[in-house]
Amino acid sequence: MDEIHQQTKYQYNMAVKIRLARRGRKRLAIYDVVVADARAPRDGRFIEKIGSYNPNTDPASININNDRALQWLLNGAQPTDTVKAMLSYRGVLLKKHLQIGVLKGAITQEEADKKFQAWIDEKETSITGKKDKIAQAKEDARKKAHEAEVAKNEARLEAIKKREEEAKAAAEAEAAEAEAPAEGEESEAPAAESNEEEENKG
């Protein structure tokens, strides 16, 4: 009762917001989901912390005490646009809508719980599918990068092999050229022999 009275007191004495309070390192910020006086500084004092939000994971991590968030909403607290989207993602706004229906007698609590559980089951299936899709995309990217690296290494080895074959062919050609008799050597020897014969005859 004291807790409900305290929340009611906040509701009547001030405009209450559910919003994000930044913390963490620069470029790696994470956020607390807090209930605070709308007039308080953005990252200043708050009434209650009801969750956290980490946008650095994939998908982003949203951890909220749904029951506390629902209670504050029913007491008139207004979420910011960002928090409203988060509460919608977690089903808190749907639960609020169903709970108001129960309070007005439009549906029973059992029917409301059944509808909410059906939504939860569908949401979990969707989230699991999204995580599987992300994991598959990462695996495909890893395989593609590996195949590209293999192709790159094969091309490099092929280029090295080609250069080695060219160098070997050039060396063999140079060696063959060095072993071949110089041009005119065979014709000079007979000429020298004929000159010696003419001298002997003389």
Side-chain angles (χ1 to χ4, degrees):
M1 290 297 292
D2 291 340
E3 190 174 297
I4 295 175
H5 175 72
Q6 184 184 29
Q7 289 186 1
T8 305
K9 181 184 70 174
Y10 281 123
Q11 180 182 352
Y12 285 110
N13 291 347
M14 66 183 75
V16 177
K17 287 277 189 182
I18 305 178
R19 63 189 182 191
L20 298 178
R22 189 179 187 277
R23 62 184 174 89
R25 294 181 296 171
K26 187 176 181 181
R27 296 183 182 177
L28 289 174
I30 57 177
Y31 300 85
D32 290 328
V33 182
V34 300
V35 180
D37 181 353
R39 297 167 297 182
R42 188 192 69 177
D43 300 327
R45 295 181 60 184
F46 55 85
I47 302 166
E48 181 182 356
K49 174 183 172 181
I50 61 172
S52 63
Y53 168 59
N54 184 357
N56 302 306
T57 59
D58 187 12
S61 302
I62 301 174
N63 297 301
I64 295 177
N65 186 327
N66 290 356
D67 293 335
R68 296 301 300 150
L70 176 61
Q71 190 62 53
W72 278 106
L73 290 174
L74 292 173
N75 285 337
Q78 296 297 312
T80 60
D81 290 341
T82 301
V83 174
K84 187 175 182 179
M86 292 165 58
L87 295 177
S88 177
Y89 179 81
R90 290 294 298 267
V92 177
L93 296 185
L94 173 62
K95 198 166 186 178
K96 175 191 173 185
H97 173 74
L98 293 172
Q99 199 60 39
I100 289 175
V102 172
L103 295 174
K104 290 182 177 180
I107 58 174
T108 65
Q109 186 65 56
E110 184 179 355
E111 290 173 334
D113 292 342
K114 188 176 180 180
K115 287 185 177 182
F116 185 69
Q117 187 58 49
W119 183 90
I120 287 291
D121 293 342
E122 184 180 351
K123 188 71 174 179
E124 287 181 352
T125 300
S126 175
I127 291 173
T128 300
K130 183 178 180 181
K131 286 182 178 179
D132 290 344
K133 188 175 180 180
I134 291 173
Q136 186 61 49
K138 287 182 178 179
E139 179 64 18
D140 291 343
R142 187 192 67 79
K143 286 182 178 179
K144 188 174 181 180
H146 176 69
E147 290 172 357
E149 185 65 23
V150 169
K152 183 179 179 181
N153 289 337
E154 288 178 350
R156 185 184 296 115
L157 291 173
E158 188 65 28
I160 293 172
K161 183 179 178 181
K162 185 177 180 181
R163 286 198 299 270
E164 289 177 347
E165 289 176 349
E166 290 175 350
K168 182 179 179 181
E172 289 176 351
E174 185 177 344
E177 184 178 347
E179 291 176 1
E183 186 177 350
E185 281 186 359
E186 294 182 357
S187 59
E188 287 177 1
E193 290 178 0
S194 61
N195 289 337
E196 288 180 359
E197 290 178 358
E198 289 180 0
E199 290 177 359
N200 292 332
K201 286 179 182 181

